[in-house]
Amino acid sequence: MTDIAIVDYGMGNLRSVSKALEHVAPDASIVITGDPEVVRKANRVVVPGQGAMPDCLRELDARGLREAVLDAAINKPFLGICIGLQMLFESSEEGNVKGLGIVSGKVLRFPPTAMVDADGQKLKVPHMGWNQVHQAIDHPLWEGIPNDARFYFVHSYYVETTSPEPAAAYSLYPFAFTCAVAKDNIFAVQFHPEKSHEAGLTLLRNFVQWEPASRADSQARM
């Protein structure tokens, strides 16, 4: 049985994610896989990703991984990273594509007219580099991570939730945008924990130890 499956759909910094997880969970069975059956049988699933949203979703479908990812998002601890966060939403301005629709909201491009700092200096897009992450809720994945800790970002688009409940953290660039969401057994982040030194490793360690109630379990109790 695979402990952690890192979903390989041809997009993303898979090896760095795998090495970071191996560092925090040296005894775990961790695989990078494009096999839907391996994803379905894994105890935990991580969906990283870099690149354009339309390409990511196309590759997810081309490799037969969509249903396995949806199943993981319902039934087991699930961590989305970068595009792995964005694809959970209903739609994206990038290519005007539909997402997986697991989280209500949309993915927007940083608007050029708003990209000016307090001194009137133009800000670059993509938003690239270290930025503070302001925790909006208590969550097991924030355990041991100081509020306002710095994480590493690389993105031109950001997520906007329909309601405030899923938002687990926000960052400023220059306005506040949601950079982490939490919903049932899902935790997903815009930043890259695998590139974020001790804070990122702590988040990954917390994910490996996290035992959430799945959405399916919650529905069964209702």
Side-chain angles (χ1 to χ4, degrees), residues 44-165:
R44 298 170 189 274
V45 170
V46 179
V47 180
Q50 293 176 339
M53 180 89 147
D55 296 337
C56 291
L57 290 167
R58 183 179 64 248
E59 289 300 315
L60 199 72
D61 286 333
R63 297 165 191 246
L65 286 162
R66 179 184 286 257
E67 291 306 317
V69 169
L70 287 169
D71 178 73
I74 294 172
N75 292 306
K76 61 191 68 177
F78 180 103
L79 178 64
I81 299 172
C82 196
I83 292 290
L85 162 71
Q86 295 181 8
M87 69 168 56
L88 297 175
F89 282 70
E90 294 170 305
S91 65
S92 174
E93 283 188 343
E94 188 174 20
N96 293 317
V97 295
K98 290 184 178 180
L100 299 178
I102 297 169
V103 179
S104 297
K106 53 192 175 183
V107 182
L108 303 172
R109 182 172 176 82
F110 282 111
T113 55
M115 304 315 293
V116 179
D117 66 16
D119 298 322
Q121 299 298 311
K122 187 174 179 60
L123 295 171
K124 294 181 179 180
V125 176
H127 170 216
M128 182 181 298
W130 295 87
N131 203 345
Q132 287 183 308
V133 169
H134 309 287
Q135 299 168 22
I137 61 170
D138 290 329
H139 193 279
L141 266 69
W142 294 136
E143 182 70 28
I145 301 174
N147 192 23
D148 304 337
R150 296 172 71 84
F151 288 82
Y152 190 81
F153 290 80
V154 183
H155 63 121
S156 299
Y157 292 78
Y158 65 96
V159 300
E160 181 179 81
T161 60
T162 300
S163 63
E165 288 81 8

Side-chain angles (χ1 to χ4, degrees), residues 73-74 76 139 182-187 210 212-216 218-219:
I74 294 172
K76 61 191 68 177
H139 193 279
K183 181 178 181 180
D184 301 320
N185 51 291
I186 296 169
F187 198 88
W210 183 33
S214 74
R215 191 183 315 169
S218 299
Q219 290 174 342

